[in-house]
Amino acid sequence: MSVRTYNPSVRVGNWSEDICLEEDTLKDHLEKRERGELLIQKSSRLSETILKPVELSVTSDGLLHFGDVVMVMNEVPRLQLATSFGDMPQTSSALSVNMAESKIHEALNFEGNCSVSASKLLQPCARNAFVISQVKGANIPTGSPLVYNQHFYLRTLPGVGGDLIMKSDIATFQSSAKKSRKQLLEFSEDDSSYIGEWRILCFNPQLRMETEGLPVQANQKIIFNHCKTNQDLCVISNKIVRTAFGVDYEAVAYTDLDSHKAEKPNNHWIMVTGSPSEPRTPAQILKVGETQ
């Protein structure tokens, strides 16, 4: 096997072929750069599309409404110990959409069937911001409060988000989560099927009958329940999945109960909305001693 040990300017061996090869390589690189096909250019476009920051809906009455843009976050206390030697303590995570790495640099928006995970990146962006929308045939006006036990769709953002719906179905041998083998979650195109309907249950299991039909409070712990299978949205902290955006926790539909028949913290979620701006009254604007 011939190995070049000299600079191409040194005419040794197939020096003419080496010079042509260097020129062709440089020419291909310049052409790809002009077309924007370099990997570093494709990666930089992610910050302008999928990772572009978005603003969450601001609720003035403290309630969730149809049409609100929210994040679905699993909050973990800061002081938490690892369960066994070598394990890292679980951190707070947000429900996020993933796309195949072969498509992530080419597509301008989420498309097709996209997997779901719980990402440690908590900044609102097109990947982890979702819209609460009504189910097919409900005829609920946009802006109406969402109530407990009411069916709804969780959609990705229109445009870059692809307007996909989160769906789930009973786990089978062919369709289940890769690591935990539990009920699979995925975002796919809208076909208005029952497997895409979800509902919010009260965090306290002893008050679920009393709270049915009452408005859901924003930024409070809730149970995110799948209507067809009656399984809760769950983050599996000891199952790690690698995505194009880093290392995430596996997210599935699974009701994890403790000895008191109550959901464990990995079933606890918060529908995060934007923070309202602080009201500015004349007393805050005027200096001390001045009058309006």
Side-chain angles (χ1 to χ4, degrees), residues 14-181:
N14 297 329
W15 58 270
S16 180
E17 295 180 5
D18 293 341
I19 293 177
C20 292
L21 181 61
E22 293 288 340
E23 292 177 352
D24 291 342
T25 302
L26 178 60
K27 183 179 178 180
D28 292 342
H29 175 81
L30 295 177
E31 290 178 353
K32 288 183 178 180
R33 188 179 66 177
E34 292 178 357
R35 295 194 300 264
E37 296 179 357
L38 296 178
L39 182 59
I40 188 172
Q41 293 174 319
K42 295 178 180 179
S43 300
S44 63
R45 284 200 294 267
L46 289 178
S47 59
E48 302 175 0
T49 55
I50 297 176
L51 297 180
K52 182 179 179 180
V54 299
E55 293 186 3
L56 302 178
S57 299
V58 177
T59 172
S60 58
D61 54 4
L63 304 177
L64 294 176
H65 307 83
F66 284 95
D68 283 354
V69 179
V70 298
M71 282 179 58
V72 184
M73 188 175 68
N74 177 259
E75 191 175 31
V76 176
R78 295 183 179 180
L79 299 177
Q80 189 181 52
L81 300 177
T83 55
S84 61
F85 180 77
D87 290 344
M88 295 297 293
Q90 181 183 354
T91 59
S92 299
S93 56
L95 194 71
S96 303
V97 190
N98 302 313
M99 187 185 292
E101 294 189 18
S102 58
K103 300 180 180 180
I104 196 70
H105 296 297
E106 301 292 342
L108 299 178
N109 58 341
F110 289 108
E111 56 186 11
N113 293 337
C114 298
S115 61
V116 184
S117 63
S119 174
K120 302 175 185 178
L121 301 176
L122 303 180
Q123 292 78 16
C125 61
R127 184 186 172 219
N128 58 17
F130 306 100
V131 180
I132 301 173
S133 65
Q134 63 177 349
V135 298
K136 184 178 181 180
N139 296 325
I140 301 175
T142 302
S144 299
L146 176 69
V147 301
Y148 285 104
N149 212 33
Q150 185 177 20
H151 295 199
F152 66 93
Y153 293 141
L154 189 71
R155 295 179 179 270
T156 56
L157 298 177
V160 65
D163 199 22
L164 307 178
I165 291 181
M166 187 171 70
K167 302 177 182 179
S168 185
D169 206 349
I170 299 174
T172 62
F173 184 78
Q174 293 84 7
S175 177
S176 60
K178 293 183 179 180
K179 297 296 183 69
S180 63
R181 311 305 299 177

Side-chain angles (χ1 to χ4, degrees), residues 207-218:
L207 298 177
R208 286 179 186 167
M209 293 186 64
E210 290 79 356
T211 57
E212 184 173 349
L214 296 179
V216 181
Q217 296 286 334

